[in-house]
Amino acid sequence: MRDDALAASMERNLRYVLGELARALPGAELYDGPELFWMLTPVAFRLFNSLTGTRLDQRTSDFEIAAAKERARRKDVEILWWLFPGDTPADLGERLAAAGFRHVKTSPGMALELGDDSPLPVDCAGKDATIATISTDGLAREWCDVLCTTFAFSKQVRDGYLPFAISSAANPAGTIRNYGLWSNGEMVATSTLAFRDGIAGIYNVATLPQAQRRGFGAAVTAHALRDGRQLGASLAVLQSTDAGVNVYHRLGFRERAPVDLFRWPP
């Protein structure tokens, strides 16, 4: 797949999982149109107030940037604008900066072929580890605890993830699946699979600090990849943190589409 087509597929998968996050959350607002995706929620954490899928021109982009800032003021929340290769207008990043947005980082957008002949990563977690799909409300709460403890998220963020986790747990064979990895009876790692249009998006890979450097993050990612291929995915995509790039390289992912993130207020 060409890099421009891959970036568009990665962006569509992201808007799918963000849309499900918003739809599960009481009080959330959501717009999912051909020219822009935006979500606004009561959670004062910028991921929960994301914009992506930008297909605007020079005139409409300035209008939408101003409208996004006004929505954020109304809710008193931060917003996060995801800028993928191929988004328009071509100078959107400069326009966001001129409007007071701060460039947070460039995240490596990574991809892995999942064709029938493509070898999948081997589960390397060891005999003391088990992985399962989250399928009950209680496990959904535990999954949220592990995810949010790993990244030092607040209780408000944890409570924001919970409706999404419970909704996914109600349909564990669906196209969005959350996974937990247990070591010696304790859940210590998480991941999420979002399958859409032949693409397996990998999200929410987290390992508790005391359980890191034991292969658990790689194992729970590999488990999601296998499920994705069983669902019919031919390609896996993710946006990596800087710390995760080498882990994903070892799993076979390659950097294909840089994703620029802008936040407001700065």
Side-chain angles (χ1 to χ4, degrees), residues 3-182:
D3 285 356
D4 57 346
L6 186 145
S9 295
M10 187 179 297
E11 190 170 50
R12 284 193 298 271
N13 194 273
L14 174 68
R15 68 194 292 170
Y16 171 53
V17 73
L18 288 176
E20 294 304 301
L21 181 65
R23 290 182 182 95
L25 189 59
E29 302 174 44
L30 174 66
Y31 176 78
D32 192 355
E35 79 288 4
L36 186 65
F37 169 99
W38 60 261
M39 57 189 286
L40 196 71
T41 80
V43 181
F45 180 62
R46 54 185 177 269
L47 175 68
F48 285 77
N49 303 288
S50 286
L51 302 94
T52 190
T54 312
R55 299 294 185 271
L56 301 167
D57 57 29
Q58 293 183 348
R59 179 184 59 83
T60 55
S61 64
D62 290 340
F63 173 84
E64 291 294 349
I65 290 170
K69 291 168 64 175
E70 181 56 35
R71 288 191 298 268
R73 290 190 190 98
R74 173 166 53 86
K75 286 280 191 178
D76 193 24
V77 295
E78 289 184 342
I79 54 178
L80 184 67
W81 205 305
W82 302 69
L83 181 54
F84 284 78
D87 283 356
T88 59
D91 63 349
L92 179 59
E94 289 84 352
R95 289 173 179 271
L96 289 169
F101 281 73
R102 181 169 69 86
H103 183 256
V104 179
K105 65 176 182 176
T106 300
S107 177
M110 307 183 76
L112 171 68
E113 296 289 340
L114 292 179
D116 292 339
D117 296 331
S118 302
L120 287 179
V122 177
D123 184 343
C124 53
K127 295 181 179 180
D128 68 332
T130 58
I131 302 172
T133 306
I134 302 303
S135 57
T136 69
D137 289 5
L139 290 177
R141 290 183 172 85
E142 192 174 355
W143 181 90
C144 288
D145 287 342
V146 172
L147 174 67
C148 295
T149 298
T150 298
F151 293 112
F153 289 153
S154 68
K155 181 180 183 300
Q156 186 194 39
V157 174
R158 186 262 187 198
D159 292 345
Y161 270 111
L162 184 58
F164 166 79
I166 289 175
S167 175
S168 301
N171 186 18
T175 55
I176 292 188
R177 304 178 186 183
N178 294 321
Y179 304 97
L181 182 148
W182 284 260

Side-chain angles (χ1 to χ4, degrees), residues 195-200 232-236:
F195 172 73
R196 188 75 177 265
D197 299 330
I199 304 294
S234 59
L235 186 74

